[in-house]
Amino acid sequence: MTQNLKTKVLIVGAGTGGYVAGIRCGQLGLDTMLVDGGDGLGGTCLNVGCIPSKAIIHAAGKFETVTKAAGGGTLGITAAAPAIDLSQTVAWKDGIVRKLNAGVAALLKKAKVKVIKGWAEFADAKTCVVKTDEGDIRITAEHVILATGSEPVELPFLPFGGDVISSTEALSLSEVPKKLVVVGGGYIGLELGIAYRKLGAEVAIVEMADRILPLYGKALTDPVSKWLEKHGVELHLGARAGGFGDGKLSITTKDGEPLQLDADKVLVTVGRRPRTQGWGLENMGVTMAGPFVKIDQRCATSMKNVWAVGDLTGEPMLAHKGSAQGEVVAEIIAGHDRIFDPVTIAAVCFTEPEIVSAGLGPNEVAGRDDVIQSVFPFAAIGRAMAIEAGEDGGFVRVIANKGDHRILGIQAVGQHVSELSNSFAQMLEMGAVLEDVAGTIHVHPTLGEAFHEASLRALGHAIHI
């Protein structure tokens, strides 16, 4: 027997876009239902993406530190040769995920959002059926928020299964593979490849482009390339992957030569695609923009009172973008005058070292004579030297208008620079000028002093260089 329910707002997808939209709808007094049919509350980010990957990266960094101490000492510290039980590390990671899942569930309950476990299938734009363990539920809504997220891209000649894995399986391995080949040199592949190298795996990376992280400027990626070289990571750039069998991955090198790479696991990270299949999107009558759902500045689709947020709506496919869109849509439904029009959405690569980019980069202002570019190295920052963060070529770069000194873009590469990303985004969002950063007394000793000094340098009077 099918149960029939009606609601003001129906949200499909419980990732960072969907659950945030749900909480905000609840805070605003809107009768709200959230259908969770994917990875669980928190979606990809919380369950099999951002959070668990950073936990594994953190554990890998700890293991690397002890390994250095055992290999002749570091900072005067020596230690016995370390060992790792990856199954225990994964169990620790899973514990973090469970705590965060429970936290999201509690927040949704407090906001009086009804959570339904199951996958929705839409018959039309405002009606769906959810198959649950207790039977089918037909839901009719006045407003629908689509937040179905994204999924890893599968290569037809390297289908997922067995020893060919996606990032999801890479975060739950029971032991460190002796030989790991990563297909795709973007941020996901590099983050996990570097982590597993720190954990002791022999790592090779196969990338079609001529360099790693092709979406970022070379100056930002050079320190990462140096780390890979220093730590024996095998790079095959301009290369194409082929099939996998008998513990060997076939590739074609940049020169067109066939090559076989030994691999216990092949991690395929060639991108993500919006999750548009299997839930009746084709029955909703919404306009598409390529593979994505087309939205306007209000996150509205072409169908009245149907909204879309997060990865489903296009690049950048970042969790914090989806969350911000979810808040905007909830407030619009509640009658507030809102649009989604950020000055910037900062992006971070949690590689070794980390990379941050916000606003315009050098490639986007190339050839312009009306901009100032200023770089300040972490090698001249005391805090960076004290935590061994000034030795890898890291820096902060500021790009600003020459006329009014309005900041247009900020980039950084170095250890722990992800923690500077919010400061960068805030300055851009507020329309700051170089004098605003220069006039802010930055705490000493911190990495943020490099941002201060880069701005001073753009004005012609850096202090520590």
Side-chain angles (χ1 to χ4, degrees), residues 64 68 197-198 201 226-234 352:
E64 182 191 35
K68 284 182 179 178
R197 181 68 192 108
K198 289 181 178 182
K226 289 175 184 174
W227 189 95
L228 296 173
E229 182 180 357
K230 180 180 178 181
H231 291 82
V233 175
E234 196 178 315
E352 185 67 60

Side-chain angles (χ1 to χ4, degrees), residues 270-457:
V270 293
R272 296 182 66 85
R273 62 186 173 204
R275 191 177 279 126
T276 57
Q277 302 298 314
W279 50 272
L281 176 63
E282 63 277 5
N283 299 325
M284 299 185 74
V286 300
T287 300
M288 304 296 289
F292 302 104
V293 171
K294 185 177 182 179
I295 58 170
D296 62 15
Q297 283 190 311
R298 299 165 69 242
C299 299
T301 72
S302 58
M303 181 63 68
K304 183 177 173 59
N305 291 348
V306 176
W307 317 81
V309 302
D311 290 359
L312 188 64
T313 66
E315 299 289 353
M317 295 168 75
L318 299 171
H320 41 291
K321 181 197 78 171
S323 296
Q325 288 178 320
E327 288 188 67
V328 166
V329 171
E331 292 176 9
I332 290 172
I333 293 172
H336 298 196
D337 185 14
R338 291 293 310 276
I339 61 171
F340 181 71
D341 186 25
V343 172
T344 187
I345 303 173
V348 177
C349 293
F350 290 86
T351 44
E352 185 67 60
E354 296 175 347
I355 297 172
V356 175
S357 183
L360 300 182
N363 290 343
E364 293 156 299
V365 297
R368 287 177 54 175
D369 58 8
D370 61 338
V371 298
I372 309 166
Q373 294 192 48
S374 172
V375 172
F376 195 89
F378 280 116
I381 296 294
R383 172 66 170 164
M385 298 302 294
I387 61 172
E388 299 182 286
E391 302 171 1
D392 51 21
F395 61 85
V396 174
R397 179 202 292 123
V398 177
I399 301 173
N401 267 325
K402 191 177 289 184
D404 61 7
H405 294 175
R406 184 79 58 194
I407 297 174
L408 304 174
I410 314 162
Q411 296 84 41
V413 55
Q415 291 182 45
H416 311 297
V417 295
S418 58
E419 296 302 327
L420 301 179
S421 58
N422 296 316
S423 176
F424 296 170
Q426 181 182 36
M427 285 297 180
L428 286 162
E429 194 67 40
M430 293 177 66
V433 294
L434 293 169
E435 287 82 357
D436 291 322
V437 183
T440 300
I441 298 174
H442 284 65
V443 174
H444 175 76
T446 63
L447 297 179
E449 290 178 277
F451 183 24
H452 184 233
E453 290 277 9
S455 299
L456 288 174
R457 195 175 192 186

Side-chain angles (χ1 to χ4, degrees), residues 57-85 176 194-201 227 230-231 388:
I57 288 167
H58 175 70
K62 293 284 190 183
F63 186 77
E64 182 191 35
T65 299
V66 181
T67 302
K68 284 182 179 178
T74 177
L75 312 179
I77 303 167
T78 56
I84 185 167
D85 182 340
V176 177
I194 288 170
Y196 273 104
R197 181 68 192 108
K198 289 181 178 182
L199 292 171
W227 189 95
K230 180 180 178 181
H231 291 82
E388 299 182 286

Side-chain angles (χ1 to χ4, degrees), residues 35 73 220:
V35 177
L220 288 174

